[in-house]
């Protein structure tokens, strides 16, 4: 991720986009006027998903060079080629080849995975996507990049109702789920809410409701007393119910979650006193979620311990946890690289840049983590064969 930049050197959005942001801000302001300060999770929900105006709902370009950020499948084929090796192994173990991708972005991962799997590909590739605009983008990407496979793809409004067997894929989806923010103060824990300052939006505090207080106490336990006053962080009290909804009908199979995050003991380190919220605008990483609502992405790092716990409560085993670099090596990245020797030099150089971006610790290699939550699987998964980090959860 790029370094944080100061406000002064940020490119200004064009007037047309500022007007879109103003309309969304107007709706948020109206809610604050009617209901009082909004919990941050509700602000984040509106900023990202308000119909027609939210970051993921409006028709802006988000992904790639002309957008705000680049995800692993957009760098090239390597990420999807490695994942395809894991998917092929899982299809063999399960005797089923269905895939459900959640939050498919611009459709790059779907297109590249389908191309990599080729004729041995899934019987069905379903996409559960909440943005109507992105569904359209996904269709266009699939038609352009994977025309031979597009007929196998179906879009869902809700998770499948009927029992099914196969694999759930979710790359950079958990970080886009709205989170609540809390803060330690003189009077104990407080909820961080969003208020209208008259010159934009800003933070204010409110009482922490019971359900959030118990979620924070559960997550932090004795570590709470070690946190300095003014420590702010995030928690997603709805992760378990969301996971339950998307995995409920998965009778046998595995859900692979790839995202930036930490095990809990690193998530709530005392020195991480401003939390993990991060916003992206034109390839700059920023820490102000109130700037240009609807025009910048807002996300929070994932607490992978919370994900494993939520899975356990739903009868899903944590079948693997590692970082992205080791996952990709476990999935055969070395073999893919070995074949690069036959490529023209320019293509080899491009590939080496892609591999570095995906695997170097300072790029995506360690910041991104991979977790498999499985139901009814007994065999180990190759993606986790190089490094098992489950003991750190
Ligand atoms: C950061 S993008 C990741 C895109 C893509 N997976 C990739 O790797 O390029 C987040 C995606 O998740 C979608 N999304 C967020 N919450 C969702 C939910 N609850 N159900 C389905 N899709 C969701 C967004 O609309 C968007 O497509």
């Amino acid at each position: 991720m790029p370094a944080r930049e100061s406000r002064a050197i940020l490119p200004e959005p064009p007037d047309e986009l500022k007007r879109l942001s103003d309309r969304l801000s107007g709706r948020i302001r109206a809610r604050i006027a009617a209901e009082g300060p909004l919990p941050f999770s509700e602000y984040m929900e509106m900023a990202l998903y308000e119909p027609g105006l939210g970051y993921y709902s409006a028709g802006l370009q988000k992904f790639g060079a002309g957008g705000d950020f680049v995800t692993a499948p957009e760098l090239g084929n390597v990420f999807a080629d490695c994942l395809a090796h894991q998917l092929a192994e899982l299809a063999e173990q399960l005797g089923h080849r269905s895939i459900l991708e959640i939050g498919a972005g611009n459709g790059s991962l779907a297109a590249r995975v389908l191309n990599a799997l080729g004729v041995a590909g899934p019987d069905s590739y379903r996409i559960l996507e909440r943005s109507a605009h992105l569904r359209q983008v996904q269709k266009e990407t699939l038609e352009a990049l994977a025309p031979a496979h597009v007929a196998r793809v179906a879009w869902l409004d809700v998770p499948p109702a009927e029992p099914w067997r196969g694999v759930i894929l979710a790359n950079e989806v958990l970080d886009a789920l709205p989170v609540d923010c809390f803060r330690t103060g003189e009077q104990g824990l407080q909820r961080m809410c969003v208020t209208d300052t008259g010159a934009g939006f800003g933070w204010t505090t409110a009482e922490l409701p019971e359900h959030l207080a118990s979620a924070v106490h559960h997550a932090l336990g004795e570590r709470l007393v070690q946190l300095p006053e003014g420590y702010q962080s995030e928690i997603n009290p709805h992760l378990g119910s969301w996971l339950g909804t998307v995995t409920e009908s998965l009778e046998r199979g595995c859900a692979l979650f790839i995202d930036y995050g930490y095990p809990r003991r690193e998530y709530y380190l005392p020195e991480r006193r401003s939390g993990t919220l991060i916003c992206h605008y034109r390839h700059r990483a920023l820490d102000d979620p109130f700037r240009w609502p609807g025009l910048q992405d807002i996300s929070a790092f994932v607490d992978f311990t919370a994900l494993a716990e939520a899975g356990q409560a739903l009868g899903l085993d944590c079948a693997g946890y590692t970082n992205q670099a080791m996952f990709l090596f476990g999935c055969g990245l070395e073999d893919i690289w070995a074949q690069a020797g036959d490529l023209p030099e320019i293509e080899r150089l491009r590939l080496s840049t892609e591999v570095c971006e995906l695997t170097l610790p300072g790029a995506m290699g360690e910041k991104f983590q991979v977790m498999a939550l499985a139901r009814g699987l007994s065999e180990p998964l190759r993606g986790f064969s190089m490094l098992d980090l489950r003991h750190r959860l």
Side-chain angles (χ1 to χ4, degrees):
M1 251 173 231
R4 294 183 181 200
E5 305 258 350
S6 81
R7 181 179 283 249
I9 55 169
L10 267 187
E12 282 279 311
D15 289 346
E16 175 202 347
L17 296 187
K18 279 191 191 159
R19 280 196 291 276
L20 205 65
S21 179
D22 288 345
R23 282 179 57 206
L24 177 59
S25 297
R27 281 200 202 170
I28 298 171
R29 265 199 308 276
R31 269 199 67 189
I32 294 174
E35 301 169 28
L38 278 186
F40 183 76
S41 51
E42 292 181 33
Y43 171 84
M44 186 169 166
E45 169 71 28
M46 287 185 84
L48 297 183
Y49 305 110
E50 180 71 4
L53 295 174
Y55 181 75
Y56 284 111
S57 323
L60 312 179
Q61 183 178 356
K62 302 157 227 324
F63 306 94
D68 302 305
F69 55 85
V70 177
T71 61
E74 293 177 298
L75 294 169
N77 286 327
V78 173
F79 182 77
D81 285 351
C82 291
L83 212 47
H85 288 151
Q86 180 62 86
L87 293 168
E89 183 191 66
L90 276 162
E92 182 91 352
Q93 286 184 25
L94 293 166
H96 282 268
R97 299 187 298 169
S98 295
I99 296 173
L100 171 67
E101 185 181 352
I102 306 176
N106 70 0
S108 292
L109 183 62
R112 294 183 198 276
V113 158
L114 285 163
N115 283 337
L117 290 170
V119 285
D123 317 314
S124 80
Y125 195 108
R126 294 180 285 187
I127 294 179
L128 178 65
E129 170 58 62
R130 71 178 291 194
S131 160
H133 163 68
L134 285 176
R135 284 179 190 211
Q136 190 50 40
V137 174
Q138 290 155 15
K139 278 185 193 140
E140 287 161 15
T141 302
L142 279 152
E143 274 155 16
L145 295 185
H149 306 292
V150 69
R152 274 192 252 180
V153 182
W155 279 264
L156 305 181
D157 293 321
V158 288
E162 77 290 354
W164 65 286
R165 294 174 177 209
V167 182
I168 295 175
L169 277 183
N171 184 53
E172 288 205 49
V173 178
L174 297 175
D175 70 73
L177 300 179
V179 287
D180 264 295
C181 297
F182 64 91
R183 181 179 196 277
T184 57
E186 256 176 44
Q187 293 100 35
L189 286 171
Q190 294 172 309
R191 187 180 214 176
M192 299 295 289
C193 290
V194 181
T195 189
D196 180 2
T197 64
F201 298 113
W203 292 108
T204 186
T205 53
E207 203 179 315
L208 198 68
E210 192 46 46
H211 77 283
L212 269 185
S214 66
V216 173
H217 279 281
H218 170 77
L220 280 111
E222 287 173 4
R223 270 170 299 176
L224 249 181
V225 292
Q226 295 161 11
L227 299 181
E229 200 180 305
Y231 181 95
Q232 179 173 332
S233 194
E234 299 81 39
I235 193 153
N236 180 354
H238 305 298
L239 181 65
S241 57
W242 181 84
L243 185 67
T245 308
V246 297
T247 59
E248 195 176 5
S249 57
L250 182 70
E251 196 177 54
R252 185 159 175 258
C254 177
L256 285 171
F257 294 99
I258 305 151
D259 227 306
Y260 33 95
Y262 309 106
R264 185 172 284 155
R265 67 176 90 167
E266 290 171 33
Y267 199 100
Y268 297 113
L269 282 179
E271 50 271 38
R272 207 184 298 290
R273 50 183 308 146
S274 320
T276 71
L277 279 185
I278 187 149
C279 309
H280 286 97
Y281 178 76
R282 299 286 176 265
H283 300 278
R284 282 138 174 106
L286 311 158
D287 58 5
D288 178 3
F290 305 129
R291 187 170 331 159
W292 301 320
L295 302 189
Q296 61 165 350
D297 183 34
I298 306 175
S299 63
F301 277 55
V302 174
D303 172 356
F304 276 96
T305 306
L307 182 64
E309 281 179 356
Q312 194 176 31
L314 295 161
L316 295 159
D317 302 319
C318 181
Y321 174 54
T322 192
N323 64 44
Q324 177 170 294
M326 288 301 133
F327 179 79
L328 297 178
F329 281 113
C331 289
L333 178 54
E334 240 173 272
D335 300 337
I336 293 172
W337 180 243
Q339 287 161 17
D342 302 332
L343 293 172
E345 191 172 350
I346 185 81
E347 183 49 25
R348 226 172 41 238
L349 274 173
R350 201 210 59 74
L351 194 68
S352 79
T353 309
E354 184 181 344
V355 170
C356 287
E357 191 60 39
L358 290 170
T359 59
L360 286 182
M364 289 178 158
E366 282 188 1
K367 196 176 294 169
F368 280 72
Q369 321 251 293
V370 188
M371 179 172 279
L373 296 179
R375 189 169 276 148
L377 269 190
S378 46
E379 304 290 315
L381 302 178
R382 62 177 294 174
F384 304 94
S385 57
M386 307 283 288
L387 180 69
D388 185 348
L389 292 177
R390 280 178 291 183
H391 62 281
R392 289 176 59 192
L393 288 168

